[in-house]
Amino acid sequence: NAGVTQTPKFQVLKTGQSMTLQCAQDMNHEYMSWYRQDPGMGLRLIHYSVGAGITDQGEVPNGYNVSRSTTEDFPLRLLSAAPSQTSVYFCASSRAGLNYGYTFGSGTRLTVV
Amino acid sequence: AQRVTQPEKLLSVFKGAPVELKCNYSYSGSPELFWYVQYSRQRLQLLLRHISRESIKGFTADLNKGETSFHLKKPFAQEEDSAMYYCALNSGGSNYKLTFGKGTLLTVNP
């Protein structure tokens, strides 16, 4: 099993550009989430999904879009990149159920200049 | 609103000393709490779940509902324990949204 796979690992964007961060999991997990990690801020939830076709906003959704057309994939789209979106982005997945922990991907380090 | 507070950004101890990483939470329902660890240049990993009452790598954590705390403890710290530790709360019920604290960077000195 590959677990949770994120691509790319590193990306530099210019302000105003758009891009999609890819996330795929091969564990048949129902739940998937996107977090951003910033120094001194911990991890903040951007968007999450409890199953294919179902998504909802987290704590910091502005400027990001998601969709969940399959159980395996949960891409995160940056609509018009801004320097404030410079961060490390983590995708995570979990089995349905109240006490299963999330499995995290290795992260995407994004710099917006 | 649900909140997780880790009051210490940095914690430094010597090898062999006891270590306690503090976590306090604010939640009106029945809490589901977790500890995650991130070693240098690695992804976050689940360390402990309060429901399982387990000991992983010598770490334990007890849920204290009266004090709304879920502190992580280890009696004898090892250098390989140096990492960033995050406390997390399931704040979405069946929707399973994890709310994280800001993390504590633990350094274990030789």
Side-chain angles (χ1 to χ4, degrees), chain B:
Chain B
Q2 296 76 22
R3 181 176 297 173
V4 177
T5 302
Q6 294 180 251
E8 303 140 329
K9 288 185 179 179
L10 304 170
L11 184 61
S12 182
V13 301
F14 286 102
K15 177 182 174 181
V19 61
E20 181 180 50
L21 293 93
K22 291 183 168 54
C23 172
N24 290 92
Y25 66 90
S26 171
Y27 184 55
S28 58
S30 181
E32 296 151 27
L33 289 153
F34 305 82
W35 276 99
Y36 282 81
V37 61
Q38 186 178 29
Y39 300 102
S40 180
R41 301 189 190 88
Q42 294 188 25
R43 66 186 70 190
L44 277 87
Q45 306 170 32
L46 176 65
L47 182 62
L48 286 176
R49 298 172 292 171
H50 93 267
I51 193 69
S52 57
R53 302 184 65 80
E54 58 202 341
S55 174
I56 303 292
K57 300 183 179 182
F59 284 98
T60 59
D62 291 319
L63 177 61
N64 186 324
K65 292 187 179 181
E67 296 183 357
T68 60
S69 68
F70 188 56
H71 302 327
L72 183 68
K73 300 177 183 179
K74 185 170 183 177
F76 306 104
Q78 303 298 315
E79 290 180 67
E80 55 265 30
D81 295 330
S82 296
M84 179 70 83
Y85 290 81
Y86 291 98
C87 183
L89 168 71
N90 176 7
S91 59
S94 59
N95 280 338
Y96 202 77
K97 291 189 297 181
L98 272 185
T99 299
F100 284 84
K102 294 185 178 181
T104 297
L105 180 61
L106 174 65
T107 302
V108 181
N109 301 298

Side-chain angles (χ1 to χ4, degrees), chain A residues 16-105:
Chain A
Q17 285 185 318
S18 62
M19 78 160 294
T20 299
L21 307 185
Q22 301 292 343
C23 176
Q25 52 93 7
D26 61 358
M27 298 170 284
N28 204 31
H29 284 173
E30 293 88 347
Y31 297 158
M32 296 187 76
S33 294
W34 276 101
Y35 288 87
R36 58 177 290 174
Q37 183 183 40
D38 301 290
M41 301 295 291
L43 284 91
R44 292 180 292 172
L45 181 64
I46 305 171
H47 286 285
Y48 67 102
S49 169
V50 298
I54 306 169
T55 63
D56 205 347
Q57 297 181 349
E59 181 185 356
V60 288
N62 292 341
Y64 307 95
N65 209 352
V66 292
S67 60
R68 183 101 180 265
S69 56
T70 67
T71 300
E72 294 78 18
D73 299 300
F74 192 44
L76 178 72
R77 281 181 286 277
L78 278 71
L79 309 173
S80 177
S84 60
Q85 293 179 303
T86 294
S87 186
V88 180
Y89 291 85
F90 286 100
C91 179
S93 73
S94 171
R95 293 173 59 182
L98 300 180
N99 293 299
Y100 294 106
Y102 266 122
T103 299
F104 279 81

